[in-house]
Amino acid sequence: GESVGLHLPTLSVQEGDNSIINCAYSNSASDYFIWYKQESGKGPQFIIDIRSNMDKRQGQRVTVLLNKTVKHLSLQIAATQPGDSAVYFCAENAAGGTSYGKLTFGQGTILTVHP
Amino acid sequence: EPEVTQTPSHQVTQMGQEVILRCVPISNHLYFYWYRQILGQKVEFLVSFYNNEISEKSEIFDDQFSVERPDGSNFTLKIRSTKLEDSAMYFCASSEWWGPNYGYTFGSGTRLTVV
């Protein structure tokens, strides 16, 4: 069945450190992956995405890595700031059929950045 | 930046009562979604909606749930007879086209508390 999960439920880092958040997925048909940030009392906010035909994608201070061989996704945040403290979710979407719009979310990792 | 607006931000209701959660999607978006998030858990897909009909629904979306686009701007989720386990954050989302890479945007959510 479809499932997306995370290895580490919490991550604490010092301001300025780099953070790595991991995610495992099990649906081989997934071809699009997204990382979301969720702050308290708010909805998921898009951070970065990657298609299955890519291994790496970089944004501003964030990089997503995709390893399809082991069905693993990671989010790297460079020079982590206190404002990065939030819950981070990976989500996947499998094209085809009627599931174009459906996102399957992982459990989430709580990132805490200490000043 | 365009936003998905949800009202109310917090709804308290008695078990067995009907509730309607309201959403105003982004104006040029054609695809609409509801998700829920039980406290401390992952975000779960409920339903997708296009052209005035449900495109896909999850196992959670049973006969107690219904969705409607009553006019050109609102998108609603109705729970006919609420149960304690319906307590959760409910997120509306919308996108221009099928798929998360077409401006897929979440609202800030409605916290539903069933007592």
Side-chain angles (χ1 to χ4, degrees), chain A residues 4 32 34 36 38 41-44 49 51 89 93 98-103 105-107, chain B residues 33 35 37 40-43 45 48 55-56 89 91 98-101 104 106-109:
Chain A
V4 182
Y32 190 76
I34 312 109
Y36 285 97
Q38 186 179 26
K42 296 185 179 180
D49 58 1
R51 290 193 175 278
F89 292 93
N93 174 254
T98 58
S99 293
Y100 279 107
K102 174 184 174 181
L103 294 175
F105 282 81
Q107 283 296 128
Chain B
Y33 316 89
Y35 288 79
Q37 184 180 30
Q41 299 188 22
K42 63 184 179 181
V43 178
F45 171 82
S48 58
S55 301
E56 184 177 7
M89 282 287 288
F91 294 106
W98 271 138
N101 52 328
Y104 208 110
F106 284 86
S108 294

Side-chain angles (χ1 to χ4, degrees), chain A residues 100-103, chain B residues 4 25-33 48-50 92-106:
Chain A
Y100 279 107
K102 174 184 174 181
L103 294 175
Chain B
V4 174
I26 293 173
S27 60
N28 63 332
H29 285 188
L30 301 177
Y31 297 83
F32 314 112
Y33 316 89
S48 58
F49 188 89
Y50 168 70
C92 174
S94 68
S95 63
E96 294 174 63
W97 196 250
W98 271 138
N101 52 328
Y102 289 99
Y104 208 110
T105 304
F106 284 86

Side-chain angles (χ1 to χ4, degrees), chain B residues 52-88:
Chain B
N52 282 320
E53 58 183 32
I54 290 173
S55 301
E56 184 177 7
K57 59 184 180 180
S58 70
E59 295 174 352
I60 303 167
F61 195 89
D62 61 22
D63 292 343
Q64 293 299 311
F65 290 88
S66 63
V67 289
E68 190 180 24
R69 188 149 164 85
D71 52 41
S73 61
N74 290 283
F75 179 51
T76 62
L77 175 68
K78 180 193 291 186
I79 309 175
R80 290 188 181 83
S81 179
T82 50
K83 304 186 284 285
L84 294 176
E85 53 264 38
D86 293 327
S87 295

